[in-house]
Amino acid sequence: MLFKHSFFYRYVAPYTGRLLFNVLLRVLSALFTLVLTIAIAPLLALLFDTGKAESAMTGGGLAQSGMELLENWVHLSVVTNGKYETLLYVVLALLSAYFLKNLCAYMGLYLFIPIRNQMVARLRNDMFHKFMILPLSFYANQQKGDLISRISNNTQDVDTQMLNQIQQVMVDVVTFIFLIAALFFISTPLTICVLILLPLIGVLTSFLSRSLKRKSKRLQDTIGHISAQVTESLEGIKTLRSYNTTGYALRKFEAENALFFKLNTRVFRRLYSSHPLNEVLGTTAVALILVIGGYLILSDKSLRPEAFITYLVTMIQILPTSKNIMTAYFTYQSGKGSWMRIKEVLKADEVILEKKNAAEIHDIRQSIRFENVGFTYGKKPTLKNIDLELPKGRFIALVGPSGGGKSTIINLIPRFFDPVSGKVLFDGKDIADCKIDCIRALSSLVSQDTVLFNDTIYNNILLGNPQASREEVIQAAKMADAHDFIMATSNGYDTLIGDSGTKLSGGQRQRLSIARALVKKAPVLLFDEATSALDTEAECRIMQAVQQAGKQNGQTIVSVAHRLSSIRQADEIIVIEEGEIVGRGTHEELYEGNSLYRKLCQMQNLDNRTTTPQARQQNEIQ
Ligand code: ADP
């Protein structure tokens, strides 16, 4: 469990085999680098004509014999082919080694690219999956743009700053080890000096990189806020313009952008400090080597000049390698800021959890019951001791002043939240013991905020029930009073509705949402101010059609309505005030016996009769 959210456990470990193969190619590449380095000594011996180019190495019988083998070959070639031709052979060998070194390095990269992309794809999938299952309470505390930034910018950063660095470090570490081995091969005392300098570099590096991770996390948070501000401002552009308040949005954005500038400057200054630091340390190391090497050649005579030059060439190759490792470490640390932001999402509490042996439930035969339900979002209780029976096939309305807790009751039915106390029961079964998918399949919710997708009208309705036939979609649209306006659009049901349905009016969008809910044919229909954007006449028409269909199909309808004209025909009306049920009964009963309900009706010019004036007129004509 401890490692479950570790970056390596989930995103690197599954690719170990392929990564190791990549390392193998890198080892080969490093080996060719080594060959190139060591082959320089006989080449120099040949050019400077230092007689029998004895091994310049200080230790290792096997190593010495390898070097001797090389020298013997050079001498043999000088005798048979002459110096110039031998030089050409040596150069040709060097070129081949270069070619093979780069070929192996490229093959390694070639194979690493799909691994890296798979890692990123997996990371994005994990995040999106989490987005889909996180409870609504999570979204109440998050900005949409910030979450978008986490799944787009931050995953990209993890790719470039962490995954890319892992592969870079693999390459460099292997090369580094081989080059250090080569240094030992040439001169042990000199190499011991180099190894004393390396931990010093390490200490300085970790000191500088310590704050980088923290700074980078703050920077990424700021990018998230910028993204959130852009999303918010673009979504509300109409409101901002109409109130002439674009200046307000601009000021907020500029302040966030200024903070980004400040933090980004700091992060990059710290990031780039690794380069000069490394240069200074590297140059100091070379200067020290020059002094010690010079001593070994001039006084001690234990080191040959050509071996020393080979040593320096090898050292020069080590410097960029160690610099790369250091830079990769720094970049990795700054990438961790992004990873921490991703981890916050991946680790977020799912709250609504399914029990291990959760029961399946596919229908509601009798009723939905709220048993002494209490709920709170924060400190103040939102619902108190709610006891409520919603019998199958009935039309129940929830009314009352806004903020009373009506939507909260609706949201407890598909288990968007769990009650803090008490239970919600479907046919006597606690929904907390049932499969979440089953519970959600039993109801369809239409809320005040219509959500439509950038697709055809047909597909937007079909989303409610992908198995529905075209006839069923059309029937649902007719019931939702949407068929006529759909047929009037350019391509009828196949018309594209634009981003979030921007090409449609508020009322049309709401009609499509209702059609989508109806096509699902779920046992429970939850309407949360679902008809608020419609005119009273259309609202009554739709509610009557829905009620009729509900009666025929045995569907339970739970409707929250501000406009009481649409629900006065309900079988039961529940009056809710400050999280408590303060009245229940039919329209007529409540009008007579409940002062709050009567007041609400009078404010809307409603009398105590259950039918609408239009319906009454029709009845009179008949
Ligand atoms: P109604 O539907 O009757 O207008 P709600 O159920 O929407 O009432 O809200 C009941 C109370 O809970 C209100 O005081 C509201 O501010 C609060 N509330 C609603 N949703 C949230 C939320 N996601 N986080 C915190 N408080 C909330």
Side-chain angles (χ1 to χ4, degrees):
M1 275 315 275
L2 186 70
F3 296 114
K4 201 177 158 222
H5 295 292
S6 128
F7 181 73
F8 273 90
Y9 174 81
R10 173 105 185 118
Y11 302 102
V12 182
Y15 304 97
T16 312
R18 285 196 271 168
L19 283 172
L20 285 178
F21 185 57
N22 184 30
V23 171
L24 185 75
L25 282 167
R26 298 304 175 156
V27 170
L28 280 174
S29 173
L31 262 174
F32 285 118
T33 312
L34 196 67
V35 168
L36 278 170
T37 314
I38 291 176
I40 285 173
L43 180 69
L44 289 172
L46 180 76
L47 286 175
F48 293 126
D49 196 16
T50 56
K52 190 179 179 301
E54 280 166 18
S55 163
M57 274 62 68
T58 50
L62 186 76
Q64 234 165 352
S65 65
M67 199 64 158
E68 273 167 11
L69 214 72
L70 208 62
E71 284 163 2
N72 289 343
W73 178 81
V74 171
H75 283 287
L76 198 72
S77 177
V78 169
V79 174
T80 49
N81 305 317
K83 271 191 170 183
Y84 188 66
E85 210 174 310
T86 306
L87 178 69
L88 284 182
Y89 286 142
V90 173
V91 171
L92 210 68
L94 282 175
L95 270 178
S96 313
Y98 253 118
F99 175 76
L100 289 171
K101 170 194 155 193
N102 284 301
L103 183 73
C104 288
Y106 176 68
M107 284 303 290
L109 276 177
Y110 183 88
L111 292 174
F112 188 70
I113 291 165
I115 304 177
R116 196 173 133 187
N117 286 336
Q118 262 173 11
M119 288 174 179
V120 178
R122 188 168 199 190
L123 185 59
R124 283 219 173 97
N125 280 343
D126 278 357
M127 281 194 88
F128 196 72
H129 179 77
K130 190 79 187 194
F131 281 161
M132 293 296 103
I133 57 174
L134 276 170
L136 297 184
S137 51
F138 172 82
Y139 293 99
N141 302 319
Q142 298 288 339
Q143 291 168 298
K144 210 195 302 175
D146 184 57
L147 292 176
I148 293 170
S149 170
R150 286 177 203 236
I151 201 169
S152 51
N153 296 341
N154 294 148
T155 44
Q156 201 58 47
D157 289 346
V158 166
D159 176 29
T160 53
Q161 297 175 353
M162 289 176 83
L163 297 176
N164 192 29
Q165 298 312 320
I166 288 172
Q167 84 100 24
Q168 189 59 48
V169 162
M170 270 179 359
V171 178
D172 290 325
V173 166
V174 171
T175 315
F176 187 78
I177 292 170
F178 274 93
L179 289 174
I180 288 283
L183 289 186
F184 267 114
F185 201 65
I186 303 166
S187 169
T188 307
L190 272 180
T191 312
I192 289 171
C193 295
V194 172
L195 287 185
I196 292 170
L197 289 170
L198 284 179
L200 274 177
I201 298 179
V203 169
L204 265 163
T205 307
S206 77
F207 172 75
L208 280 171
S209 72
R210 215 178 301 153
S211 67
L212 195 60
K213 191 165 84 181
R214 208 169 3 96
K215 280 199 175 73
S216 165
K217 163 83 169 53
R218 277 189 63 203
L219 178 72
Q220 293 308 325
D221 281 340
T222 315
I223 296 173
H225 295 160
I226 288 180
S227 168
Q229 218 129 60
V230 173
T231 318
E232 205 175 80
S233 304
L234 292 183
E235 276 175 359
I237 191 84
K238 230 193 228 173
T239 313
L240 288 172
R241 294 243 175 102
S242 70
Y243 287 99
N244 256 339
T245 44
T246 44
Y248 160 78
L250 214 64
R251 274 193 303 281
K252 263 176 84 176
F253 182 83
E254 279 173 359
E256 208 63 64
N257 214 12
L259 184 64
F260 171 77
F261 161 77
K262 214 166 85 180
L263 287 172
N264 207 23
T265 310
R266 276 196 217 156
V267 165
F268 272 87
R269 276 185 183 155
R270 181 53 56 92
L271 203 59
Y272 289 146
S273 69
S274 74
H275 297 264
L277 177 73
N278 203 67
E279 292 271 342
V280 169
L281 290 172
T283 319
T284 316
V286 170
L288 264 168
I289 301 300
L290 274 174
V291 173
I292 302 167
Y295 171 78
L296 291 178
I297 293 171
L298 300 174
S299 319
D300 206 52
K301 302 226 185 291
S302 63
L303 190 65
R304 298 181 63 86
E306 68 265 25
F308 185 54
I309 292 174
T310 311
Y311 195 93
L312 283 178
V313 170
T314 314
M315 264 299 288
I316 287 164
Q317 287 194 54
I318 279 192
L319 289 179
T321 315
S322 68
K323 185 173 134 188
N324 285 348
I325 294 173
M326 204 157 121
T327 310
Y329 179 63
F330 268 69
T331 317
Y332 187 86
Q333 288 302 321
S334 80
K336 268 196 156 173
S338 288
W339 166 242
M340 278 158 79
R341 276 169 52 79
I342 290 172
K343 213 162 93 172
E344 276 170 6
V345 172
L346 294 179
K347 272 181 77 178
D349 221 342
E350 280 162 32
V351 189
I352 308 292
L353 293 170
E354 190 169 276
K355 289 191 179 158
K356 254 201 176 145
N357 297 317
E360 301 220 348
I361 178 164
H362 298 292
D363 199 6
I364 299 176
R365 293 200 179 86
Q366 286 144 14
S367 68
I368 295 174
R369 196 148 51 85
F370 280 64
E371 210 173 74
N372 205 18
V373 168
F375 184 81
T376 174
Y377 288 108
K379 279 182 192 152
K380 201 171 149 263
T382 308
L383 296 178
K384 290 168 253 175
N385 310 323
I386 299 287
D387 276 309
L388 193 61
E389 178 99 21
L390 309 169
K392 180 184 166 82
R394 298 285 209 95
F395 175 14
I396 316 283
L398 306 178
V399 302
S402 101
K406 303 179 293 294
S407 299
T408 309
I409 291 182
I410 292 260
N411 284 331
L412 290 175
I413 295 174
R415 219 186 145 199
F416 289 152
F417 301 105
D418 277 335
V420 176
S421 58
K423 289 174 189 167
V424 178
L425 307 150
F426 283 7
D427 286 344
K429 264 188 229 150
D430 188 344
I431 60 170
D433 299 329
C434 299
K435 290 209 156 122
I436 297 174
D437 280 353
C438 288
I439 296 297
R440 300 209 170 138
L442 289 173
S443 60
S444 31
L445 170 75
V446 191
S447 60
Q448 200 173 359
D449 332 304
T450 51
V451 178
L452 297 175
F453 299 91
N454 193 358
D455 205 333
T456 58
I457 288 178
Y458 184 79
N459 285 340
N460 265 288
I461 300 177
L462 197 69
L463 204 71
N465 176 12
Q467 273 83 44
S469 65
R470 198 162 180 99
E471 285 70 40
E472 286 173 311
V473 169
I474 294 172
Q475 195 193 8
K478 280 184 177 160
M479 220 193 295
D481 208 20
H483 182 71
D484 291 345
F485 96 77
I486 294 172
M487 293 315 285
T489 57
S490 52
N491 289 316
Y493 280 85
D494 299 319
T495 305
L496 284 166
I497 57 165
D499 197 11
S500 308
T502 38
K503 293 183 189 166
L504 302 174
S505 76
Q508 289 171 334
R509 284 205 291 269
Q510 234 169 26
R511 283 174 164 99
L512 289 188
S513 298
I514 294 169
R516 180 198 288 159
L518 294 175
V519 88
K520 186 173 169 186
K521 295 194 172 140
V524 185
L525 276 175
L526 305 171
F527 279 18
D528 188 358
E529 300 271 11
T531 47
S532 57
L534 302 173
D535 57 88
T536 320
E537 212 173 302
E539 183 178 43
C540 289
R541 214 167 35 235
I542 293 172
M543 285 317 286
Q544 270 169 12
V546 168
Q547 197 181 356
Q548 223 167 25
K551 283 261 180 310
Q552 274 169 14
N553 306 329
Q555 283 175 304
T556 311
I557 302 162
V558 187
S559 175
V560 171
H562 189 65
R563 227 185 286 150
L564 302 177
S565 53
S566 67
I567 53 92
R568 60 171 149 188
Q569 284 168 304
D571 296 311
E572 191 176 19
I573 298 168
I574 317 281
V575 189
I576 293 165
E577 192 182 22
E578 292 186 7
E580 281 178 295
I581 297 177
V582 295
R584 55 175 83 191
T586 59
H587 172 68
E588 278 173 28
E589 286 164 0
L590 286 170
Y591 197 92
E592 297 307 322
N594 188 290
S595 56
L596 173 64
Y597 185 75
R598 192 169 46 249
K599 200 170 93 189
L600 291 171
C601 286
Q602 283 164 350
M603 273 160 36
Q604 296 178 22
N605 291 328
L606 279 188
D607 58 26
N608 66 343
R609 281 178 286 189
T610 47
T611 44
T612 58
Q614 290 90 341
R616 280 205 298 274
Q617 229 172 20
Q618 247 177 2
N619 285 343
E620 278 158 21
I621 294 166
Q622 281 164 2

